[in-house]
Amino acid sequence: MPSATTNGATNGTTNGVSSEANGANQQTRPYPPGPPKSSFLTTMNGAPVQKPAASQRIGNNLRATLLLQDINLLELIQHLTHERIPERLVHARGTSAFGWFEVTDRIDDVTSAAFLSEVGKRTPLFVRFSTVAGERGSAETVRDTRGFAFKLRTEQGILDWLFLSTPVFPIRDGAKFPSFTHATKRNPESGLPDHTMFWDYFNNNQEAIHFLMFLFSDRATPVDFQHADCFSINTYRFTKVDGTFKYVKIHVKTNQGVKNFTLPEATQKAGEDPDFQTRSLHNDLDAGNQPSWDVYAQIIDPEVAEHYPINIFDATKTLPYEDFPLRKFGKIYLDKNVRNFFAESEQSAFSPTNIVPGWALTPDPILQTRALAYADTQRHRLGTNFIQLPINKPEFSFTPLNRDGNATFNNLGGVPNYYPSTFFHYGTAPQYAQPDEEHWQGTVIDFESELTDADFVQARIFWEKTLAKEPGQQKNFISNVAAHLAQAVDKVRKTTYAMFTRVNADLGKSIETATEAEVAKNAAPPKPPVKEMGALNIANLEAKQAAHGTGHNVGIFAHKKRNVQA
């Protein structure tokens, strides 16, 4: 019988890397041993290529006809034109690393997740950091939310945590996802960023005001990923085998300290080094540093949630620490860069539907919408069998009902592709008791949440208490909004001033004053009057040409030369 393996590596090694070399975390590397140190080049089918840079041609010189029988040339060009895959609609700009999650404090009273079962237990982890709105090649230090996508390789399957650097989201109705996404992208007519479009959307969807307070604070221009916190935003469930559960929100806090750029600093860095945050993480890990984050849970009892004044499924709101204190239960460490950016970072695929026993989804409408969208977009971007790519493949899975499709690597041979079957024995999966949450009664309706004064309460607290305690941050917030809003049209600006006035009257007035000052400063100077151009005399032009010598225009015009009377 063959020895036990981990991703194709025999005992004592992990994908060709010795256990000792992996260090204390016993990091599982989800790819085979690295490429050879030296080798001759081959075609894709393995045939040797003697002169890789040559091309077959008729005639022993540069000017010659190339031949379609040149297999090496054909392969090189055909592969080159198919190298790119669709970029992510959101989170296109990103970078990745490997590390591990470690349990630091007991949490098994509220969840029976195996990877959280004992203090000191470590779980291999992969993370992809990203901006949200920018394209794949965009500058990283621009104002934006940051994505933190964690892939934990637990013994019960892969668990994906998809968190953001702001504790709130701009929408709470899933059907608004396309409009929100479009409004933060480029104008469909011009292909340019459009600040009028941006602010017009938020003027008409003001439940996002709490999100905007974070977005236009310096929190949205972090120095790098290592110096930023992140949050689950959505509410999940910790579950136990007996069917009991608690609601949970996760907070991940950096141990490097939070560091942010101001707007001028972020703008300057974006111009000097658009890859700054990727470079920072790569250099940090290359130097042997291990950035880390503490992981906390806000635990919410279902009965408390039912009567609490804030809806725990409203992603535009936070839950106060005084009522739901942070409970530390783990720590995330990073220690290794990816070995190939495309194979691992670009081909990595995440979805909130990647869950394991002990962790579950909730009726949070944004979470439910993400559950549909994320796995679907991976099938578009990477193909039906994206889960079979090494970076995404779990240690164990048995899915005989999911078969075929492009790039199938493991198709389970003759195992029946239907269920049940007389010809195959199916074991009994360990299963949790059915939770008592899912008992609903009601009429099916088209529901859309409504804006109320309560939507401005937490934004007001953030302005009057949180930012007020941080020197210079209220001033920075006003100037950050003004610089962006000044590029919108007058009608939209006025509506935005009214929106911020609902947060705080002085804030609305201050933003109006600062923005209109920016508008006046950026106003284009009046254009000088256009002088009427006199009729050109051909004879005069020919005289000028004679004075300057033969020009590039000689002989290129097709009309007949006229006889010019002096």
Side-chain angles (χ1 to χ4, degrees):
M1 188 173 178
S3 58
T5 64
T6 303
N7 283 341
T10 59
N11 272 349
T13 68
T14 308
N15 293 323
V17 181
S18 69
S19 297
E20 290 78 12
N22 275 327
N25 65 319
Q26 298 293 296
Q27 172 64 49
T28 301
R29 305 289 288 208
Y31 42 64
K37 296 297 183 184
S38 65
S39 173
F40 55 80
L41 297 188
T42 75
T43 56
M44 60 189 294
N45 68 308
V49 178
Q50 188 177 30
K51 298 177 71 175
S55 52
Q56 294 181 15
R57 61 188 75 200
I58 298 172
N60 189 24
N61 55 57
L62 186 63
R63 183 179 181 180
T65 300
L66 301 182
L67 302 180
L68 283 177
Q69 69 183 32
D70 188 345
I71 297 171
N72 179 56
L73 176 63
L74 291 182
E75 277 189 7
L76 290 172
I77 299 304
Q78 289 169 349
H79 190 89
L80 177 66
T81 59
H82 290 80
E83 279 185 358
R84 291 294 170 261
I85 60 176
E87 73 170 42
R88 293 166 168 89
L89 174 65
V90 288
H91 301 278
R93 178 60 142 125
T95 190
S96 300
F98 290 93
W100 71 95
F101 171 88
E102 181 175 341
V103 180
T104 58
D105 299 83
R106 289 190 61 176
I107 196 78
D108 56 352
D109 58 313
V110 292
T111 177
S112 51
F115 81 102
L116 298 175
S117 60
E118 56 182 298
V119 173
K121 188 166 187 176
R122 292 182 172 185
T123 300
L125 171 149
F126 172 81
V127 61
R128 185 175 184 273
F129 300 105
S130 61
T131 56
V132 175
E135 293 95 347
R136 187 155 49 195
S138 58
E140 292 183 299
T141 59
V142 297
R143 181 170 310 284
D144 201 352
T145 305
R146 267 59 183 180
F148 288 60
F150 300 101
K151 188 175 291 293
L152 289 80
R153 296 184 169 275
T154 83
E155 61 265 56
Q156 294 181 306
I158 287 178
L159 170 63
D160 284 352
W161 279 348
L162 294 132
F163 299 167
L164 295 173
S165 62
T166 52
V168 291
F169 205 60
I171 61 173
R172 57 191 174 214
D173 298 283
K176 292 187 176 184
F177 251 115
S179 292
F180 158 64
T181 302
H182 293 158
T184 56
K185 294 285 189 177
R186 295 176 180 270
N187 184 294
E189 179 186 14
S190 67
L192 296 170
D194 191 323
H195 294 222
T196 292
M197 185 170 75
F198 176 96
W199 287 106
D200 185 48
Y201 170 80
F202 286 110
N203 287 345
N204 288 289
N205 296 273
Q206 294 189 16
E207 69 271 21
I209 186 62
H210 196 191
F211 167 80
L212 290 173
M213 299 300 292
F214 281 92
L215 184 64
F216 284 91
S217 73
D218 288 346
R219 287 161 170 78
T221 49
V223 167
D224 53 30
F225 300 110
Q226 303 94 290
H227 292 88
D229 297 338
C230 66
F231 311 85
S232 68
I233 295 181
N234 298 122
T235 302
Y236 293 84
R237 279 186 296 153
F238 272 151
T239 61
K240 301 199 72 175
V241 293
D242 61 3
T244 59
F245 69 92
K246 303 287 186 184
Y247 293 118
V248 60
K249 285 178 176 282
I250 303 296
H251 299 242
V252 182
K253 294 188 172 291
T254 178
N255 289 312
Q256 290 69 243
V258 172
K259 292 183 181 179
N260 300 315
F261 283 133
T262 62
L263 175 59
E265 291 169 340
T267 304
Q268 179 178 347
K269 187 62 69 176
E272 293 174 346
D273 185 1
D275 306 309
F276 177 77
Q277 293 180 340
T278 292
R279 195 182 318 281
S280 172
L281 178 65
H282 187 275
N283 292 348
D284 210 7
L285 296 176
D286 250 11
N289 298 322
Q290 293 186 350
S292 65
W293 290 257
D294 289 327
V295 184
Y296 299 85
Q298 276 187 301
I299 307 296
I300 308 113
D301 185 271
E303 190 172 341
V304 173
E306 188 175 350
H307 299 95
Y308 197 70
I310 297 173
N311 189 328
I312 69 164
F313 302 127
D314 183 350
T316 69
K317 306 289 194 305
T318 59
L319 298 180
Y321 292 158
E322 57 266 27
D323 293 335
F324 305 98
L326 295 181
R327 178 176 170 180
K328 185 180 177 184
F329 69 95
K331 196 166 188 174
I332 289 170
Y333 298 86
L334 300 183
D335 67 338
K336 289 182 176 66
N337 282 307
V338 296
R339 203 157 58 177
N340 184 276
F341 186 85
F342 180 84
E344 293 157 345
S345 188
E346 278 300 296
Q347 290 196 132
S348 60
F350 300 85
S351 174
T353 54
N354 286 343
I355 61 175
V356 297
W359 177 267
L361 305 183
T362 68
D364 182 324
I366 297 303
L367 180 58
Q368 298 262 324
T369 308
R370 294 174 80 192
L372 165 68
Y374 277 61
D376 185 61
T377 195
Q378 307 305 345
R379 290 178 172 88
H380 160 68
R381 203 171 61 85
L382 300 170
T384 305
N385 292 299
F386 70 91
I387 200 69
Q388 295 187 28
L389 293 168
I391 192 64
N392 302 319
K393 192 177 189 303
E395 298 297 314
F396 170 79
S397 66
F398 181 64
T399 57
L401 306 185
N402 297 341
R403 303 295 272 269
D404 303 343
N406 289 338
T408 296
F409 304 109
N410 176 19
N411 214 21
L412 297 177
V415 174
N417 58 0
Y418 57 92
Y419 177 88
S421 171
T422 307
F423 307 103
F424 191 86
H425 172 69
Y426 302 92
T428 302
Q431 189 62 48
Y432 280 18
Q434 182 68 26
D436 59 7
E437 174 195 34
E438 306 295 338
H439 297 292
W440 308 102
Q441 270 192 328
T443 304
V444 175
I445 63 169
D446 285 332
F447 174 83
E448 179 184 348
S449 65
E450 295 181 356
L451 185 72
T452 69
D453 289 339
D455 290 310
F456 294 85
V457 172
Q458 291 191 348
R460 187 174 303 116
I461 293 171
F462 183 74
W463 170 255
E464 295 177 353
K465 296 185 177 180
T466 304
L467 289 185
K469 293 177 182 177
E470 301 172 8
Q473 284 304 296
Q474 287 188 327
K475 179 181 178 182
N476 286 3
F477 179 87
I478 292 169
S479 61
N480 292 343
V481 172
H484 194 278
L485 181 57
Q487 299 176 63
V489 300
D490 179 68
K491 180 179 180 180
V492 168
R493 295 199 306 269
K494 288 178 178 177
T495 307
T496 305
Y497 303 148
M499 176 174 64
F500 280 110
T501 298
R502 293 188 68 176
V503 175
N504 178 281
D506 291 337
L507 173 62
K509 185 62 179 175
S510 297
I511 288 177
E512 180 177 3
T513 301
T515 302
E516 293 306 318
E518 282 287 320
V519 172
K521 184 175 71 175
N522 297 334
K527 294 181 180 180
V530 178
K531 293 182 179 179
E532 223 176 280
M533 197 169 182
L536 291 176
N537 186 292
I538 300 297
N540 290 344
L541 290 179
E542 291 186 347
K544 285 185 179 182
Q545 179 173 295
H548 287 279
T550 303
H552 293 293
N553 289 341
V554 174
I556 68 171
F557 294 104
H559 59 262
K560 293 180 179 180
K561 186 173 182 179
R562 297 175 296 169
N563 291 323
V564 180
Q565 299 296 325

